[in-house]
Amino acid sequence: MSQPLYVFDMDDTLFDADCAMLWNAFLVEEGIVTTPGFLEQDRQLMVRYANGEMKMEDYLAFAMAPLAGMPKAQLTVLVDRCVEKHILPKLFPQAEALIRQLKQNGMTMVIISASVAFLVEAIARRIGIEHAIGINLVETEDSYTAAIQGTPSYREGKVTCLEQWLLAQPKGYSEVHFYTDSINDLPLCLHADYAYLVNPCAQLVQHADRENWQVLNWG
């Protein structure tokens, strides 16, 4: 008998923060980024993201520039340190409890995020979610570029990426439960069988009056 699949957006859904912004602040803290105004530019891009107006290519060109040529082994160490120090403390208690309960019940969980895959995968491992989908980047021999590989898991692309992931699985799922806060995820909310709007943005909450949609207030 097939089981339901539980799918989670990451930023401002599982976590009371945007993890990519925490990562960028960490890079400044570590002295890896020294560009004046870097964090202010990051905030401006995130405002555009929240309004559903950001081009992912523009964001990646900005965010990956400080990491150009950095060996993947060094990047992995930095990501793990950032996750432990800055990101895990922002996990919503309700998210932590839900993940624990779903694991006990043997349910399959997936994070699908518009953040880069190397960050999403590291976070998923630390909070006990087996599967993670993020934006895959073209790689050189030992580092990442800012170029997108395949379909970016952003807006309508999240639906495509989830469908591709499902086709690659050895078993099917009876229904999809999706948790998000963002208007950017409206396409996946409409695609899912059940949608849970976690502290939804003003634009998304306007769509909340639908069958099998529920607003959750986490904090």
Side-chain angles (χ1 to χ4, degrees):
M1 182 177 179
S2 59
Q3 292 181 326
L5 176 68
Y6 288 82
V7 181
F8 299 95
D9 175 47
M10 185 173 74
D11 303 312
D12 298 308
T13 298
L14 293 175
F15 295 88
D16 188 16
D18 184 289
C19 298
M21 292 185 73
L22 294 178
W23 165 243
N24 285 336
F26 173 78
L27 293 177
V28 172
E29 176 186 302
E30 292 287 309
I32 293 165
V33 175
T34 57
T35 307
F38 180 81
L39 294 181
E40 177 57 32
Q41 188 176 351
D42 188 31
R43 283 190 287 270
Q44 292 172 1
L45 285 166
M46 286 301 102
V47 169
R48 289 167 58 189
Y49 170 81
N51 293 330
E53 300 168 351
M54 188 183 73
K55 291 183 179 179
M56 187 54 64
E57 292 81 1
D58 293 343
Y59 176 76
L60 290 172
F62 159 78
M64 291 301 297
L67 306 175
M70 179 180 288
K72 284 187 277 187
Q74 180 184 350
L75 182 61
T76 297
V77 171
L78 288 169
V79 169
D80 288 345
R81 192 188 310 158
C82 176
V83 171
E84 187 69 32
K85 183 177 181 181
H86 293 297
I87 294 176
L88 290 182
K90 296 291 187 179
L91 182 65
F92 279 120
Q94 295 91 338
E96 185 176 15
L98 177 59
I99 292 166
R100 184 169 57 249
Q101 185 61 56
L102 291 173
K103 286 189 73 173
Q104 289 175 354
N105 294 342
M107 297 296 156
T108 302
M109 293 176 279
V110 182
I111 292 179
I112 183 164
S113 171
S115 293
V116 289
F118 64 75
L119 183 61
V120 182
E121 290 165 1
I123 291 169
R125 284 194 299 270
R126 286 295 281 109
I127 63 174
I129 293 182
E130 182 179 0
H131 304 285
I133 301 169
I135 294 180
N136 292 310
L137 301 175
V138 175
E139 301 178 25
T140 63
E141 185 175 339
D142 192 40
S143 62
Y144 294 100
T145 74
I148 297 170
Q149 182 178 44
T151 300
S153 47
Y154 177 49
R155 304 187 70 172
E156 294 83 359
K158 280 195 176 183
V159 177
T160 301
C161 289
L162 182 62
E163 286 296 293
Q164 291 172 344
W165 182 87
L166 285 167
L167 286 172
Q169 300 311 300
K171 65 176 182 179
Y173 295 93
S174 58
E175 58 198 23
V176 172
H177 296 249
F178 179 51
Y179 292 71
T180 187
D181 71 292
S182 175
I183 188 60
N184 289 298
D185 288 335
L186 181 59
L188 189 47
C189 288
L190 294 169
H191 182 76
D193 299 285
Y194 296 86
Y196 306 87
L197 313 186
V198 179
N199 305 336
C201 70
Q203 291 170 280
L204 184 58
V205 79
Q206 294 176 13
H207 298 270
D209 188 20
R210 296 172 184 265
E211 186 177 3
N212 297 330
W213 288 37
Q214 183 178 349
V215 175
L216 303 176
N217 296 307
W218 285 3

